[in-house]
Amino acid sequence: MGDALAGFESLVQPGDLLMLDYEWAGDDAWKDGVMRPRAAGAGHGDSRTARGDVPQYQTEGDRVAAQATLAGGGCASCIWLE
């Protein structure tokens, strides 16, 4: 990520390229280490709150905005999109 962001300092002309020494993996094996929960004893448990049937909002303003969007015929699963 740092190397990619460094491009903001070195790329000044439209069309400039910065070649990085990274390659995509040839298979999906990398997902086994990053997209699966680790064992609870490893100190990296899942601390997220379980999902329920009742919507939860971070603030009262979020709740009001979501209800207004839904009342206007907006999408229930994409209420943050314009």
Side-chain angles (χ1 to χ4, degrees):
M1 180 61 100
D3 289 342
L5 292 173
F8 286 109
E9 297 174 354
S10 62
L11 301 173
V12 294
Q13 297 287 324
D16 281 353
L17 297 175
L18 175 63
M19 300 304 293
L20 301 175
D21 294 327
Y22 302 104
E23 294 183 25
W24 289 104
D27 59 22
D28 289 339
W30 64 272
K31 293 180 182 179
D32 291 338
V34 298
M35 299 185 79
R36 300 199 195 292
R38 294 184 176 124
H44 301 286
D46 187 351
S47 62
R48 295 176 291 177
T49 302
R51 290 184 179 232
D53 293 336
V54 178
Q56 298 177 359
Y57 303 96
Q58 195 159 1
T59 66
E60 179 62 14
D62 289 347
R63 185 191 64 75
V64 170
Q67 288 182 339
T69 298
L70 291 173
C75 172
S77 62
C78 51
I79 58 173
W80 63 88
L81 300 176
E82 295 294 329

